[in-house]
Amino acid sequence: MLTNLYIDGFNFYYGAVKGTSYKWLDFSALCRILLPRHQIKRIYYFTAMVEARSGDPEKRQRQETYLRALRTIPNFKIVLGSFLTHVKNRPLASGKGYVDVINTEEKGSDVNLAAQMLLDGFRNDYECAVVISNDSDLLRPIQMAIHELGKKVGVLAPTQNKHPSRSLAAHATFIKH
């Protein structure tokens, strides 16, 4: 089955990699193992460039090295969103007072993933889309690809200690943990 893969990079990192010694993954090899009956046509990786922080000045450099390695995978494309960083005043957990914190939000990856999956579906570029994410915000585009475009959409849920999203599991053509 002709398949395109759509990877939510931060959801994958925070769901399956962070806090482990495993940092490098060849997504093409992962697909051959988890999706042996699928012919992978394209792999899209949606992320944003992180900023170095005083506590981790090499963070950006590590990400750039990883992205260079990913670009060696055939038919692999990195699609960049962005980060918004600003100071936000938040309440203390004790409920006594407020503190200014640096708030960083990744923007664009979910929308970019959804738009690309639907565009490829409209173009009949795949028979099956596989989304690597556990983000229930992707439920509506998954439903649209299935019900409006007649495509199969599987979900590979990158979770270490929690279950796959119930809403994704209930509506995807198939789901794998």
Short mmCIF file of all heavy atoms in Angstrom, two decimals, residues 115-143:
data_model
loop_
_atom_site.label_atom_id
_atom_site.label_comp_id
_atom_site.label_asym_id
_atom_site.label_seq_id
_atom_site.Cartn_x
_atom_site.Cartn_y
_atom_site.Cartn_z
N ALA A 115 -2.34 20.32 6.93
CA ALA A 115 -2.48 20.85 5.57
C ALA A 115 -1.77 19.97 4.56
O ALA A 115 -2.32 19.68 3.48
CB ALA A 115 -1.93 22.28 5.50
N GLN A 116 -0.56 19.51 4.87
CA GLN A 116 0.19 18.68 3.93
C GLN A 116 -0.50 17.33 3.72
O GLN A 116 -0.61 16.85 2.59
CB GLN A 116 1.63 18.46 4.43
CG GLN A 116 2.51 17.75 3.43
CD GLN A 116 2.78 18.62 2.22
OE1 GLN A 116 3.27 19.73 2.34
NE2 GLN A 116 2.47 18.11 1.03
N MET A 117 -0.99 16.73 4.81
CA MET A 117 -1.68 15.43 4.70
C MET A 117 -2.93 15.57 3.83
O MET A 117 -3.20 14.72 2.97
CB MET A 117 -2.04 14.90 6.08
CG MET A 117 -2.75 13.55 6.04
SD MET A 117 -3.21 12.92 7.67
CE MET A 117 -4.44 14.12 8.17
N LEU A 118 -3.70 16.63 4.04
CA LEU A 118 -4.91 16.82 3.25
C LEU A 118 -4.59 17.18 1.80
O LEU A 118 -5.23 16.66 0.87
CB LEU A 118 -5.81 17.88 3.88
CG LEU A 118 -6.46 17.44 5.19
CD1 LEU A 118 -7.16 18.61 5.87
CD2 LEU A 118 -7.43 16.28 4.97
N LEU A 119 -3.59 18.04 1.58
CA LEU A 119 -3.19 18.38 0.21
C LEU A 119 -2.74 17.13 -0.54
O LEU A 119 -3.15 16.90 -1.68
CB LEU A 119 -2.07 19.42 0.24
CG LEU A 119 -1.50 19.83 -1.12
CD1 LEU A 119 -2.59 20.49 -1.98
CD2 LEU A 119 -0.31 20.75 -0.94
N ASP A 120 -1.90 16.32 0.10
CA ASP A 120 -1.45 15.08 -0.55
C ASP A 120 -2.63 14.15 -0.82
O ASP A 120 -2.68 13.47 -1.85
CB ASP A 120 -0.41 14.37 0.33
CG ASP A 120 0.93 15.08 0.38
OD1 ASP A 120 1.15 16.02 -0.42
OD2 ASP A 120 1.76 14.69 1.23
N GLY A 121 -3.60 14.12 0.10
CA GLY A 121 -4.78 13.30 -0.12
C GLY A 121 -5.60 13.79 -1.30
O GLY A 121 -6.04 12.99 -2.13
N PHE A 122 -5.81 15.10 -1.39
CA PHE A 122 -6.54 15.68 -2.54
C PHE A 122 -5.82 15.38 -3.84
O PHE A 122 -6.45 15.16 -4.88
CB PHE A 122 -6.70 17.19 -2.38
CG PHE A 122 -7.80 17.60 -1.45
CD1 PHE A 122 -7.50 18.31 -0.30
CD2 PHE A 122 -9.12 17.28 -1.72
CE1 PHE A 122 -8.51 18.69 0.58
CE2 PHE A 122 -10.13 17.66 -0.86
CZ PHE A 122 -9.83 18.37 0.30
N ARG A 123 -4.50 15.37 -3.81
CA ARG A 123 -3.70 15.08 -5.01
C ARG A 123 -3.58 13.58 -5.28
O ARG A 123 -2.92 13.18 -6.23
CB ARG A 123 -2.29 15.66 -4.84
CG ARG A 123 -2.26 17.17 -4.86
CD ARG A 123 -0.85 17.66 -4.66
NE ARG A 123 -0.76 19.10 -4.85
CZ ARG A 123 0.29 19.83 -4.50
NH1 ARG A 123 1.35 19.25 -3.93
NH2 ARG A 123 0.29 21.13 -4.70
N ASN A 124 -4.20 12.76 -4.42
CA ASN A 124 -4.14 11.31 -4.54
C ASN A 124 -2.70 10.80 -4.50
O ASN A 124 -2.32 9.90 -5.23
CB ASN A 124 -4.86 10.84 -5.81
CG ASN A 124 -5.41 9.44 -5.65
OD1 ASN A 124 -5.71 9.00 -4.54
ND2 ASN A 124 -5.52 8.74 -6.76
N ASP A 125 -1.90 11.40 -3.62
CA ASP A 125 -0.49 11.08 -3.52
C ASP A 125 -0.23 9.85 -2.65
O ASP A 125 0.89 9.36 -2.62
CB ASP A 125 0.27 12.29 -2.94
CG ASP A 125 1.76 12.18 -3.09
OD1 ASP A 125 2.22 12.00 -4.23
OD2 ASP A 125 2.46 12.25 -2.06
N TYR A 126 -1.22 9.35 -1.95
CA TYR A 126 -1.06 8.18 -1.09
C TYR A 126 -2.37 7.40 -1.05
O TYR A 126 -3.45 7.94 -1.33
CB TYR A 126 -0.62 8.55 0.32
CG TYR A 126 -1.58 9.46 1.07
CD1 TYR A 126 -2.73 8.95 1.69
CD2 TYR A 126 -1.34 10.81 1.19
CE1 TYR A 126 -3.60 9.78 2.37
CE2 TYR A 126 -2.21 11.65 1.88
CZ TYR A 126 -3.34 11.12 2.47
OH TYR A 126 -4.21 11.94 3.15
N GLU A 127 -2.25 6.13 -0.68
CA GLU A 127 -3.42 5.32 -0.36
C GLU A 127 -3.66 5.35 1.15
O GLU A 127 -4.78 5.23 1.61
CB GLU A 127 -3.21 3.87 -0.81
CG GLU A 127 -3.07 3.72 -2.30
CD GLU A 127 -2.61 2.34 -2.70
OE1 GLU A 127 -1.46 1.96 -2.35
OE2 GLU A 127 -3.40 1.64 -3.34
N CYS A 128 -2.55 5.47 1.89
CA CYS A 128 -2.61 5.49 3.34
C CYS A 128 -1.67 6.58 3.86
O CYS A 128 -0.54 6.68 3.41
CB CYS A 128 -2.20 4.13 3.91
SG CYS A 128 -2.22 4.02 5.72
N ALA A 129 -2.17 7.36 4.79
CA ALA A 129 -1.34 8.33 5.51
C ALA A 129 -1.11 7.75 6.90
O ALA A 129 -2.03 7.20 7.51
CB ALA A 129 -2.04 9.68 5.61
N VAL A 130 0.11 7.87 7.39
CA VAL A 130 0.42 7.45 8.74
C VAL A 130 0.94 8.67 9.49
O VAL A 130 1.90 9.31 9.06
CB VAL A 130 1.45 6.30 8.78
CG1 VAL A 130 1.86 5.99 10.21
CG2 VAL A 130 0.86 5.05 8.11
N VAL A 131 0.27 8.99 10.59
CA VAL A 131 0.62 10.14 11.41
C VAL A 131 1.34 9.64 12.65
O VAL A 131 0.82 8.79 13.37
CB VAL A 131 -0.65 10.93 11.81
CG1 VAL A 131 -0.30 12.07 12.76
CG2 VAL A 131 -1.37 11.44 10.58
N ILE A 132 2.55 10.15 12.88
CA ILE A 132 3.26 9.84 14.12
C ILE A 132 3.05 11.02 15.05
O ILE A 132 3.70 12.05 14.95
CB ILE A 132 4.76 9.57 13.89
CG1 ILE A 132 4.96 8.33 13.04
CG2 ILE A 132 5.48 9.41 15.24
CD1 ILE A 132 6.40 7.93 12.82
N SER A 133 2.06 10.87 15.93
CA SER A 133 1.71 11.89 16.90
C SER A 133 0.66 11.30 17.83
O SER A 133 -0.05 10.36 17.45
CB SER A 133 1.14 13.13 16.21
OG SER A 133 0.83 14.13 17.16
N ASN A 134 0.56 11.87 19.00
CA ASN A 134 -0.51 11.50 19.91
C ASN A 134 -1.36 12.73 20.23
O ASN A 134 -2.04 12.78 21.24
CB ASN A 134 0.08 10.90 21.20
CG ASN A 134 -0.94 10.07 21.96
OD1 ASN A 134 -1.75 9.37 21.37
ND2 ASN A 134 -0.90 10.15 23.27
N ASP A 135 -1.30 13.71 19.35
CA ASP A 135 -1.97 14.99 19.55
C ASP A 135 -3.39 14.92 19.01
O ASP A 135 -3.62 14.84 17.80
CB ASP A 135 -1.18 16.09 18.85
CG ASP A 135 -1.68 17.48 19.17
OD1 ASP A 135 -2.83 17.62 19.65
OD2 ASP A 135 -0.93 18.44 18.91
N SER A 136 -4.36 15.01 19.91
CA SER A 136 -5.77 14.92 19.50
C SER A 136 -6.20 16.12 18.66
O SER A 136 -7.26 16.09 18.05
CB SER A 136 -6.67 14.76 20.73
OG SER A 136 -6.52 15.87 21.59
N ASP A 137 -5.40 17.19 18.59
CA ASP A 137 -5.72 18.31 17.70
C ASP A 137 -5.73 17.87 16.24
O ASP A 137 -6.29 18.56 15.39
CB ASP A 137 -4.70 19.44 17.86
CG ASP A 137 -4.87 20.20 19.16
OD1 ASP A 137 -5.91 20.03 19.83
OD2 ASP A 137 -3.96 20.99 19.51
N LEU A 138 -5.12 16.74 15.94
CA LEU A 138 -5.08 16.24 14.56
C LEU A 138 -6.28 15.38 14.20
O LEU A 138 -6.38 14.88 13.09
CB LEU A 138 -3.78 15.47 14.32
CG LEU A 138 -2.51 16.32 14.44
CD1 LEU A 138 -1.27 15.45 14.41
CD2 LEU A 138 -2.47 17.37 13.34
N LEU A 139 -7.21 15.23 15.13
CA LEU A 139 -8.38 14.38 14.89
C LEU A 139 -9.18 14.83 13.67
O LEU A 139 -9.50 14.02 12.80
CB LEU A 139 -9.29 14.35 16.13
CG LEU A 139 -10.59 13.56 15.94
CD1 LEU A 139 -10.30 12.11 15.59
CD2 LEU A 139 -11.45 13.67 17.18
N ARG A 140 -9.52 16.10 13.57
CA ARG A 140 -10.38 16.56 12.47
C ARG A 140 -9.75 16.33 11.10
O ARG A 140 -10.41 15.80 10.21
CB ARG A 140 -10.77 18.03 12.68
CG ARG A 140 -11.74 18.53 11.65
CD ARG A 140 -13.11 17.87 11.81
NE ARG A 140 -14.00 18.34 10.78
CZ ARG A 140 -14.76 17.55 10.03
NH1 ARG A 140 -14.77 16.26 10.23
NH2 ARG A 140 -15.52 18.05 9.10
N PRO A 141 -8.48 16.69 10.87
CA PRO A 141 -7.91 16.39 9.54
C PRO A 141 -7.82 14.88 9.26
O PRO A 141 -7.98 14.46 8.12
CB PRO A 141 -6.53 17.05 9.57
CG PRO A 141 -6.29 17.48 10.95
CD PRO A 141 -7.58 17.53 11.67
N ILE A 142 -7.61 14.09 10.30
CA ILE A 142 -7.60 12.63 10.10
C ILE A 142 -8.99 12.17 9.68
O ILE A 142 -9.14 11.39 8.73
CB ILE A 142 -7.11 11.91 11.38
CG1 ILE A 142 -5.60 12.13 11.56
CG2 ILE A 142 -7.45 10.42 11.33
CD1 ILE A 142 -5.04 11.65 12.88
N GLN A 143 -10.02 12.66 10.36
CA GLN A 143 -11.39 12.30 9.98
C GLN A 143 -11.70 12.74 8.55
O GLN A 143 -12.34 12.00 7.80
CB GLN A 143 -12.40 12.96 10.94
CG GLN A 143 -12.40 12.38 12.32
CD GLN A 143 -13.31 13.17 13.25
OE1 GLN A 143 -13.34 14.41 13.23
NE2 GLN A 143 -14.05 12.45 14.08
#
